[in-house]
Amino acid sequence: MSPTPVKVAVTGAAGQIGYSLLFRIASGALLGPDTPVELRLLEITPALGALEGVVMELDDCAFPLLSKVEIGDDAETIFDGVNLALLVGARPRTKGMERGDLLEANGAIFTAQGKALNKVAADDVRIGVTGNPANTNALIAMSNAPDIPRERFSALTRLDHNRGLSQLAKKAGVTVSEIKKLTIWGNHSATQYTDIFHAEINGQNAAEVVNDQAWIADTFIPTVAKRGAAIIEARGSSSAASAASATIDAGRDWLTGSPEGDWVSMAVVSDGSYGVPEGLIYSYPVITRNGDWEIVQGLEIDDFSRAKMDATAAELVEERDAVKALGLIG
Ligand SMILES: NC(=O)C1=CN([C@@H]2O[C@H](COP(=O)(O)OP(=O)(O)OC[C@H]3O[C@@H](n4cnc5c(N)ncnc54)[C@H](O)[C@@H]3O)[C@@H](O)[C@H]2O)C=CC1
Ligand SMILES: O=C([O-])CC(=O)C(=O)O
């Protein structure tokens, strides 16, 4: 066992996603079976009582890897020295609400947390944003943390990626592990684009295996894009266990590497690759190694994909301009 525990901050720790996420982190699902973890849990003051209850349950699990748990409502205290910050806490979308409505409500949270991370996080910190609107919240946090390299911020599109794998596996009559190189492009919103034109099913081109453009365009892509809304409709509240699971998948692969011969989808700061405006937090196909990521280059983009990639970029430009107008980013 490595002697120094990795310090992992989770915000919104008393929320729905937190209730699933914390137990998986503490059990070793994020950092592996040999790495002890110290949890730093941030909540708003009125939720601290409920969070104490969650910590009692963490105690009751007697996780061998869980070295310490600290809770609080002060970001600078909780983020002090953290190596990984999972920013989950935000106001969730409720029925009939679009992500645009959430920008203002959440802007203030991510401004303050970006500043706090900038001040007190460890030099090697990585920051993953799950709270919606995730891409633009990550942009706000990044913009308010000028001393943290921009590539240390990402927003979660791994849930969309996993949803795409599962829908495609059903259609093709295969298991998810037989599918590789699926891509979510753009925003974690209804404009996201799930691309299977570069994906492979047992080494064969996935779009060719499916051989049904109407299904891809009219069923598959919208089903993945609107899955969050479908879960809200069915459950009465937004995805929680699956969002926690995707947060674990994304964090684990970022720190320890994406699988050989495959890539993962991750919203990261654009360097202009694939014609996406520089500086947006845009989901790309990425390969990760030891806490670094690299955008997969050289994929051929046809007119169908181009239009969808541009539409989701345009939405992110709108969100960026809206938070700029609110004074949340420079
Ligand atoms: N990127 C993705 O794939 C997904 C993102 N989400 C988003 O994740 C977020 C959390 O979802 P749930 O856990 O279901 O919501 P929830 O409402 O159950 O929990 C959110 C928690 O955040 C806390 N919180 C609010 N402001 C805070 C602050 N300033 N600092 C620390 N904590 C704060 C609240 O007190 C609450 O306990 C939502 O924004 C939701 O839309 C949900 C599913 C998927
Ligand atoms: O749609 C929502 O509000 C929750 C979410 O992000 C998802 O499930 O993808």
Side-chain angles (χ1 to χ4, degrees):
M1 192 180 276
S2 87
T4 319
V6 174
K7 295 188 174 83
V8 179
V10 177
T11 71
Q16 295 196 84
I17 295 176
Y19 195 63
S20 198
L21 182 60
L22 301 181
F23 296 86
R24 300 226 21 226
I25 297 173
S27 73
L30 177 69
L31 301 166
D34 301 320
T35 307
V37 61
E38 175 176 329
L39 282 173
R40 300 290 194 84
L41 310 180
L42 185 69
E43 258 297 349
I44 53 172
T45 318
L48 287 176
L51 185 54
E52 275 170 23
V54 177
V55 175
M56 287 162 71
E57 286 205 70
L58 280 167
D59 286 346
D60 294 351
C61 291
F63 288 117
L65 291 170
L66 185 58
S67 70
K68 191 174 167 192
V69 184
E70 225 179 277
I71 72 170
D73 57 5
D74 178 58
E76 281 189 23
T77 309
I78 293 298
F79 290 158
D80 191 24
V82 296
N83 310 104
L84 178 68
L86 300 174
L87 307 186
V88 177
R91 187 171 152 212
R93 187 161 69 117
T94 42
K95 260 189 195 178
M97 213 172 164
E98 277 307 318
R99 279 182 186 68
D101 303 331
L102 292 178
L103 282 178
E104 194 165 358
N106 287 308
I109 297 176
F110 288 85
T111 302
Q113 292 181 359
K115 286 184 175 151
L117 285 163
N118 193 59
K119 206 163 163 190
V120 300
D123 284 346
D124 68 351
V125 69
R126 264 83 183 156
I127 297 135
V129 178
T130 297
N132 279 320
N135 299 53
T136 297
N137 286 340
L139 177 69
I140 294 168
M142 182 181 85
S143 306
N144 283 280
D147 302 328
I148 300 176
R150 300 200 305 171
E151 62 273 13
R152 302 288 188 77
F153 289 82
S154 79
L156 189 74
T157 51
R158 185 59 174 268
L159 178 55
D160 312 290
H161 183 106
N162 289 346
R163 287 167 171 164
L165 289 177
S166 155
Q167 295 296 320
L168 178 58
K170 273 194 195 136
K171 170 74 174 176
V174 298
T175 61
V176 288
S177 49
E178 290 171 90
I179 305 174
K180 304 223 173 334
K181 301 183 178 174
L182 179 138
T183 305
I184 303 293
W185 298 96
N187 201 2
H188 172 67
S189 78
T191 67
Q192 65 180 252
Y193 168 44
T194 316
D195 177 358
I196 62 164
F197 294 101
H198 304 100
E200 293 168 3
I201 299 179
N202 292 318
Q204 275 186 278
N205 181 276
E208 284 168 21
V209 171
V210 167
N211 193 26
D212 186 348
Q213 177 65 21
W215 177 81
I216 295 172
D218 303 330
T219 302
F220 174 68
I221 294 169
T223 298
V224 177
K226 294 180 189 158
R227 187 71 164 181
I231 303 274
I232 292 171
E233 192 60 40
R235 235 171 65 83
S237 52
S238 58
S239 318
S242 56
S245 191
T247 301
I248 294 276
D249 287 346
R252 180 199 60 224
D253 287 351
W254 193 359
L255 298 178
T256 63
S258 46
E260 259 330 292
D262 200 358
W263 63 60
V264 294
S265 303
M266 198 163 145
V268 293
V269 65
S270 168
D271 60 353
S273 289
Y274 295 99
V276 173
E278 197 274 335
L280 291 182
I281 301 284
Y282 188 94
S283 181
Y284 281 107
V286 301
I287 288 173
T288 53
R289 292 278 170 273
N290 299 322
D292 295 325
W293 51 262
E294 206 177 292
I295 296 170
V296 175
Q297 298 292 342
L299 301 177
E300 242 175 73
I301 305 298
D302 66 9
D303 291 348
F304 177 84
S305 293
R306 184 75 262 163
K308 293 196 174 303
M309 288 162 64
D310 288 349
T312 189
E315 184 184 49
L316 283 168
V317 167
E318 266 175 41
E319 291 186 13
R320 181 199 61 199
D321 291 348
V323 295
K324 220 178 218 178
L326 290 167
L328 298 169
I329 62 173

